[in-house]
Amino acid sequence: MLRRRPPRSASADDLLTTLGRLTAQAREGAELQQARVELAEALQREMLPATLPEVPGLQAAATYAPARHGLDIGGDWFDGFPLPDGGLAFCIGDVQGHDVEAAAFMGQIRIGLRAVAAGAADPGEVLSRANDLLLSVDCGLFATCTFLRFDPDTWELSSARAGHVPGVWATADGRFGLAEDAGGLPLGILPGESYPVTHRRLTKAGMYVLLTDGVIEGPSFPIEVGLAKVARIVSEKVGADAAEVAAGAMSVAEYTGHQDDAAVIVLCYDAAEDRPG
């Protein structure tokens, strides 16, 4: 009776060859991922504004923090720019998804909002037109956003929200809270969506803070807790420099585990009757 010979075991050379091939594949995958992260970071840096507009009596500052592990960059943005009628626009948002695709979509939204705002004074109309514009390009992504318009003549702040987290406000008399205004769906979901507008006349000196959920929410850190922490920090810094307030608000991200990227915009303003001129 013939016996089967046992299968020939792999030689040391064969094992080393296989190990080398797998190592090369792993290195190639890691290098590809790193290249995508670096591209997303470059897109992010180029698309975020270097400065924000200001007028006497109104100071603005912003800060951005990339994802802690470098894999979730690309979704958050902020912007600020003058409007043709003399007003100032400020906006902040968060794109669904991350990496290069989200960074590119973020750029489309930012440019789209600037283009629409040049011909629409009402923040709700700006978001509505931008929503339909983004749907027309059929990207498949969506984004939350808050859009503000500041009128230096009436000293009024008008705002509209598209599924974004509430802003935080505080005044020099010790009052503070969340700007839980009515809003609409995120941009890029449903055509013809409308966005209610909230008007605030800035009769008392204070500040208004916009942020993304990367600042206030984490795997084991509820968004309500994060908002409450930001509100307390902001209330304690009324009268401080806007950049200092922005840094203080961003510090809350350290409690969340900070997996996502994060952005903050701060507007510090004088009371309407105390403004220069």
Side-chain angles (χ1 to χ4, degrees):
M1 183 176 179
L2 296 176
R3 290 185 177 179
R4 281 188 175 182
R5 297 180 61 185
R8 178 177 176 270
S9 61
S11 68
D13 288 344
D14 292 337
L15 290 174
L16 288 173
T17 300
T18 301
L19 181 60
R21 184 174 68 253
L22 293 175
T23 301
Q25 291 174 352
R27 183 184 298 114
E28 182 180 349
E31 290 174 350
L32 177 60
Q33 178 60 38
Q34 183 60 30
R36 290 176 65 84
V37 170
E38 290 176 357
L39 176 57
E41 288 177 337
L43 285 170
Q44 191 89 2
R45 284 193 302 270
E46 291 300 318
M47 291 177 186
L48 295 179
T51 59
L52 295 175
E54 297 180 343
V55 294
L58 175 77
Q59 183 189 29
T63 185
Y64 169 82
R68 171 164 290 176
H69 301 297
L71 299 177
D72 291 336
I73 194 167
D76 292 11
W77 90 93
F78 63 85
D79 201 4
F81 50 93
L83 297 168
D85 63 2
L88 304 180
F90 300 92
C91 56
I92 196 167
D94 186 359
V95 174
Q96 168 226 10
H98 302 95
D99 204 1
V100 180
E101 290 79 8
F105 187 58
M106 177 268 289
Q108 290 179 316
I109 295 174
R110 180 171 174 249
I111 298 304
L113 285 168
R114 284 190 172 227
V116 170
D122 180 79
E125 186 179 355
V126 171
L127 290 183
S128 182
R129 290 187 185 183
N131 176 61
D132 291 341
L133 176 63
L134 293 173
L135 283 167
S136 71
V137 302
D138 196 24
C139 178
L141 297 177
F142 64 85
T144 66
C145 178
T146 294
F147 190 93
L148 302 181
R149 182 185 187 279
F150 175 77
D151 190 324
D153 294 325
T154 63
W155 217 245
E156 184 177 81
L157 195 65
S158 305
S159 62
R161 285 201 299 159
H164 200 69
V165 296
V168 174
W169 59 270
T171 51
D173 59 0
R175 299 173 63 240
F176 66 94
L178 304 181
E180 297 183 287
D181 309 327
L185 292 174
L187 305 177
I189 292 182
L190 185 68
E193 180 72 355
S194 61
Y195 298 92
V197 179
T198 301
H199 302 276
R200 292 178 173 86
R201 191 160 189 272
L202 308 178
T203 57
K204 294 183 173 68
M207 58 185 63
Y208 197 89
V209 179
L210 298 177
L211 38 80
T212 60
D213 59 8
V215 179
I216 53 176
E217 186 178 30
S220 58
F221 196 84
I223 192 169
E224 296 82 7
V225 176
L227 279 169
K229 278 186 172 292
V230 171
R232 284 196 296 272
I233 289 173
V234 170
S235 69
E236 294 167 357
K237 291 184 176 292
V238 173
D241 181 79
E244 179 184 340
V245 179
M250 182 63 80
S251 70
V252 175
E254 297 303 316
Y255 296 94
T256 69
H258 188 35
Q259 301 298 317
D260 200 356
D261 51 350
V264 175
I265 290 182
V266 174
L267 304 180
C268 295
Y269 48 84
D270 295 340
E273 61 271 19
D274 296 335
R275 69 187 191 275

